[in-house]
Amino acid sequence: MDPKEIHSMIEDGLSSSYVSVDGDGTHFEAVIVSDEFEGKTLLERHKIVYGVLGDAMKERIHALSLKTYTKDQWSKLK
């Protein structure tokens, strides 16, 4: 699977202000900034992303490392 495809899936399925996906075809790392994460635990945020990726998480993505932030959290990191 291409990182660009994961990037597109996340952007299409999640209201986000920033998405970055890197990977080697089976192992990926994504940074996602979305207001949809507001008030959500880390586990809830990851479940949202897994839901957006659907069957690709079961069939085409071997490993995915996620860093999920709200816009407010992201602005404090920069």
Side-chain angles (χ1 to χ4, degrees):
M1 184 167 213
D2 187 87
K4 291 177 186 176
E5 187 177 356
I6 296 171
H7 185 278
S8 293
M9 291 172 76
I10 293 170
E11 280 198 329
D12 290 347
L14 188 64
S15 170
S16 57
S17 59
Y18 177 80
V19 177
S20 171
V21 181
D22 292 310
D24 64 7
T26 54
H27 297 85
F28 302 93
E29 180 176 307
V31 176
I32 306 163
V33 180
S34 174
D35 282 338
E36 290 187 42
F37 298 145
E38 192 70 48
K40 303 281 193 280
T41 66
L42 185 61
L43 181 60
E44 290 170 329
R45 293 175 184 197
H46 287 202
K47 284 183 178 181
I48 290 169
V49 177
Y50 296 153
V52 166
L53 295 174
D55 288 340
M57 281 302 302
K58 298 175 189 171
E59 300 167 3
R60 301 174 64 200
I61 300 172
H62 177 71
L64 176 64
S65 170
L66 293 174
K67 294 181 182 175
T68 55
Y69 304 99
T70 64
K71 287 181 189 176
D72 207 31
Q73 291 171 324
W74 183 247
S75 67
K76 290 176 184 175
L77 289 175
K78 294 200 151 215

